[in-house]
Amino acid sequence: MPKITIDGTEIEVEKGTTVIQAAEQLGIEIPRYCYHPGLSIVGVCRICLVEIERMPKLQVACYTPVTDGMVVHTNNEKVLQARRAVLEFLLINHPLDCPVCDQAGECWLQNFYMQHGLYDSKMFEDKVKKQKALDIGPNVMLDSERCILCSRCVRFCDEITETFELGIFNRGDHAELLPYPGQELDNKYSGNTIDICPVGALTDKDFRFRTRVWYLTETPSVCPGCSTGCNISVHHNDKRPYKAGGIRISRLKPRYNPEVNQWWMCDEGRYGFTYVDDDSRIVAPQKKTRGRWQELSWNDAIDEIANKMKDTIDKHGAEAFGVILSPQMTNEDLFAAKRFFKETLELENIDFEVAAREKGYEDDFLMKADKNPNTEGAKKLGVSAMDNSGLEVAQMLAEAKDKRLKALYICHHDLEKGFNKEEVKAALSKVDLVIFQGTNQNLTSNLANYCLPSATFVEIDGTFTNFAGRVQRIHKAVEPLGESKPDWIIFRNLSKRLGKSMPYFEPEDVFNALVEEVDAFKGLSYEKIGEHGILLDGHEESAEKEMGALVA
């Protein structure tokens, strides 16, 4: 393997490594605009110029492969002077509209000017005017004047989505990024072009002018939009809650995980978080009395529901009770639910799978037809009808319709997505006790006798298991809305009310108990799961194969 010396430090790297990649391995950050590790290398922006001894001119670090004995200087006066010249060139026609630019605070043109520029401009002529605030797709706005023609977005559409919507037209200082005639940027991953745009040329319609980025806090998490479990950062506005109508979650961004999603995420997941702050959120325990909802305290709700559940089982037997859990719940939630329903109440009619009537979109990149983040976890935890020798969901509804099922406990599901609306109404109307536990109102919650408010994925800590068997952490970004609680706490409180305590105070306590009892999770801990997750035993070979196909 070749050895290279960068700024006085020697390192040995794999053959084919470029200078910019070798510098990264030493923790040296060389400025870049056009270079992105997930895209082909074009070397057009020239901001990554470095001096290589025995070469007559400065070289672009992103395009130059390392050779044995190479000596590189990334930060001497000759290099810094060249970067200042490149920045001056890029800013000749760039509008000085930073105070009103939505990219301010995360603009690489701003940042590198402050780090490497700081020159007195020699330009006095008028700037070339181009198209501004151009609507180029359902999620993206284009400001051509701000574009520095790095071509990252063009290469993303050509190489990653292979949808070829964007191109660079005209020549010289009239060159301009635009969609091809008759096309718009509307592929399933278009939001990634916003992420990789180093300046304010491509901005997010949904996020534009919502809040300044320096008021946002980032929390690592996992997208709950499908079973891939793309790693994300939740950007939330804690510092100015009076902005944007009190909406706490401002946006989701992909978080790098080499084994799952690399740098990308789909638009479906990116924009699928609005239910978190939606008006339909259930924010307090509720009881339906004479057709009207009445709020209860948690103590009263737990007392009433626990008593009614016990009365139903005492009067009609455990076989008259059905439980529908959800693969939207974390491993911790499902484990606590299993202990409560299976051990405390000794129920057998427990299931979690409700097949969607309309198959979800999927492709061979990141999107899966299964729109749940934890189906594999639910299977491993044994909460399906097959595991419990009980009724499947469809059988529960049939039994309910025939009045043989007297109580149903439904978590998160909107059953209308899996069954005919009238069929659901006919079944639930025949059940004496229907309890809905979830985050938002829907048809099913409206047919219940009681509603218990669950916290959403951005309001809790826990783990999901993706389709390949990778267990990944989610972290609490904001406090639960209203009086909503994590599902595992609701089950713990109900169990305690019925005389069987669960010794859990934190989600990690639940996970540690899960690890002790479920073979598939043996040996795991929150610490071992780490930043990028960990594969369950027996999933290594198959998972790597599938992930390789996903992100190749």
Side-chain angles (χ1 to χ4, degrees):
M1 293 193 295
K3 290 182 179 178
I4 181 173
T5 301
I6 304 177
D7 294 342
T9 304
E10 187 178 84
I11 185 173
E12 192 173 62
V13 296
E14 293 286 341
K15 187 179 180 182
T17 302
T18 61
V19 171
I20 203 169
Q21 293 166 339
E24 282 183 344
Q25 293 180 32
L26 286 173
I28 298 171
E29 180 79 5
I30 297 176
R32 76 285 306 272
Y33 289 122
C34 66
Y35 172 74
H36 187 285
L39 302 173
S40 62
I41 297 173
V42 291
V44 298
C45 77
R46 321 303 284 184
I47 193 69
C48 66
L49 289 171
V50 295
E51 183 179 19
I52 300 176
E53 292 185 6
R54 292 180 292 178
M55 288 192 178
K57 296 180 180 179
L58 298 180
Q59 302 294 312
V60 284
C62 69
Y63 206 80
T64 306
V66 167
T67 57
D68 195 40
M70 186 178 273
V71 179
V72 179
H73 303 282
T74 72
N75 210 29
N76 61 21
E77 184 52 36
K78 189 175 180 182
V79 169
L80 295 178
Q81 180 58 39
R83 286 180 193 158
R84 277 193 289 272
V86 170
L87 279 165
E88 187 170 10
F89 178 77
L90 291 173
L91 283 165
I92 287 176
N93 288 308
H94 191 88
L96 300 179
D97 60 355
C98 299
V100 296
C101 177
D102 215 40
Q103 190 81 357
E106 53 186 3
C107 173
W108 293 14
L109 207 51
Q110 272 186 344
N111 295 345
F112 291 154
Y113 177 78
M114 298 306 295
Q115 293 173 13
H116 303 280
L118 298 176
Y119 56 83
D120 293 325
S121 175
K122 298 185 284 289
M123 303 298 173
F124 294 101
E125 65 267 38
D126 291 338
K127 293 176 183 288
V128 173
K129 301 299 181 186
K130 297 177 183 174
Q131 300 185 70
K132 297 184 75 68
L134 192 61
D135 186 343
I136 62 170
N139 302 311
V140 185
M141 295 292 287
L142 167 64
D143 186 319
S144 290
E145 287 186 355
R146 294 177 185 158
C147 179
I148 59 171
L149 304 176
C150 71
S151 78
R152 280 184 172 191
C153 55
V154 176
R155 282 175 283 148
F156 178 83
C157 294
D158 291 352
E159 299 165 8
I160 305 299
T161 62
E162 298 182 342
T163 46
F164 308 100
E165 294 103 328
L166 298 177
I168 294 175
F169 300 84
N170 303 321
R171 304 181 67 181
D173 61 2
H174 285 76
E176 188 173 6
L177 170 73
L178 288 170
Y180 282 102
Q183 291 200 38
E184 61 176 5
L185 182 58
D186 65 348
N187 66 65
K188 299 285 186 183
Y189 298 87
S190 66
N192 294 286
T193 61
I194 302 163
D195 298 332
I196 61 177
C197 178
V199 295
L202 299 179
T203 52
D204 192 328
K205 282 184 182 177
D206 185 65
F207 179 73
R208 275 165 63 91
F209 312 123
R210 178 172 288 186
T211 186
R212 285 300 196 178
V213 296
W214 48 83
Y215 294 126
L216 297 177
T217 305
E218 295 183 27
T219 301
S221 190
V222 172
C223 176
C226 81
S227 60
T228 297
C230 290
N231 288 210
I232 60 171
S233 291
V234 179
H235 292 211
H236 43 104
N237 178 16
D238 306 323
K239 298 174 182 173
R240 297 204 167 190
Y242 49 88
K243 289 286 187 182
I247 293 175
R248 301 169 300 162
I249 307 302
S250 296
R251 62 183 181 182
L252 305 183
K253 290 273 193 179
R255 179 168 56 89
Y256 178 71
N257 186 324
E259 305 297 340
V260 181
N261 56 299
Q262 293 195 331
W263 302 269
W264 323 117
M265 70 181 297
C266 71
D267 290 351
E268 194 173 289
R270 182 186 298 270
Y271 300 111
F273 66 90
T274 54
Y275 71 95
V276 169
D277 288 313
D278 192 79
D279 290 340
S280 65
R281 277 293 299 271
I282 303 170
V283 294
Q286 296 177 334
K287 171 186 179 182
K288 191 183 286 179
T289 304
R290 297 174 183 171
R292 298 175 66 88
W293 287 108
Q294 171 193 353
E295 288 193 3
L296 299 174
S297 68
W298 267 111
N299 283 338
D300 289 345
I302 293 292
D303 281 347
E304 283 194 27
I305 290 172
N307 288 335
K308 285 181 179 290
M309 292 171 74
K310 186 173 185 306
D311 290 345
T312 300
I313 295 170
D314 289 345
K315 188 174 180 180
H316 301 285
E319 64 275 12
F321 206 120
V323 177
I324 305 174
L325 302 177
S326 169
Q328 284 287 327
M329 299 160 72
T330 63
N331 291 316
E332 290 78 358
D333 295 332
L334 289 167
F335 180 75
K338 183 181 178 182
R339 292 205 65 174
F340 172 58
F341 292 113
K342 187 80 176 171
E343 298 178 18
T344 303
L345 297 179
E346 299 181 346
L347 303 181
E348 292 186 346
N349 295 328
I350 302 172
D351 199 6
F352 76 93
E353 288 186 287
V354 176
R357 287 194 293 168
E358 295 183 12
K359 185 182 178 184
Y361 176 86
E362 68 175 343
D363 56 28
D364 59 358
F365 186 34
L366 294 177
M367 299 176 73
K368 293 289 180 187
D370 178 7
K371 300 305 177 185
N372 299 293
N374 202 29
T375 299
E376 187 66 16
K379 290 177 180 176
K380 295 296 183 190
L381 290 166
V383 294
S384 70
M386 185 180 299
D387 296 310
N388 298 288
S389 303
L391 300 175
E392 296 178 356
V393 174
Q395 292 171 317
M396 291 184 207
L397 294 184
E399 292 283 299
K401 190 176 179 182
D402 292 338
K403 298 185 178 180
R404 287 194 289 272
L405 207 67
K406 302 299 181 183
L408 259 176
Y409 200 115
I410 305 166
C411 295
H412 294 271
H413 285 288
D414 184 357
L415 296 177
E416 188 184 359
K417 292 182 179 178
F419 302 92
N420 180 277
K421 181 178 180 179
E422 297 306 319
E423 187 181 352
V424 175
K425 279 186 175 179
L428 267 57
S429 65
K430 304 289 178 55
V431 181
D432 296 336
L433 176 63
V434 178
I435 302 155
F436 178 85
Q437 180 174 314
T439 61
N440 293 69
Q441 298 166 8
N442 56 37
L443 170 75
T444 306
S445 72
N446 291 334
L447 296 173
N449 304 110
Y450 289 91
C451 280
L452 297 178
S454 297
T456 63
F457 81 103
V458 297
E459 299 165 339
I460 60 174
D461 289 289
T463 56
F464 290 136
T465 307
N466 79 352
F467 79 99
R470 181 174 294 274
V471 183
Q472 302 185 102
R473 292 283 310 276
I474 61 171
H475 299 271
K476 184 167 81 172
V478 294
E479 292 298 321
L481 191 64
E483 297 181 40
S484 60
K485 293 181 183 293
D487 288 308
W488 67 268
I489 289 182
I490 299 174
F491 297 129
R492 182 197 66 181
N493 293 347
L494 282 168
S495 187
K496 182 179 180 182
R497 176 63 184 79
L498 291 169
K500 195 160 186 175
S501 295
M502 297 182 188
Y504 311 140
F505 299 96
E506 300 293 338
E508 189 170 8
D509 298 334
V510 187
F511 189 79
N512 290 338
L514 179 162
V515 167
E516 290 294 318
E517 295 188 23
V518 183
D519 287 342
F521 292 82
K522 287 287 186 191
L524 298 191
S525 66
Y526 275 6
E527 184 179 0
K528 287 183 178 178
I529 292 171
E531 185 181 357
H532 292 153
I534 189 169
L535 286 170
L536 296 172
D537 285 345
H539 283 263
E540 284 86 352
E541 186 177 346
S542 60
E544 292 300 333
K545 185 178 177 182
E546 290 180 83
M547 291 298 178
L550 275 173
V551 298

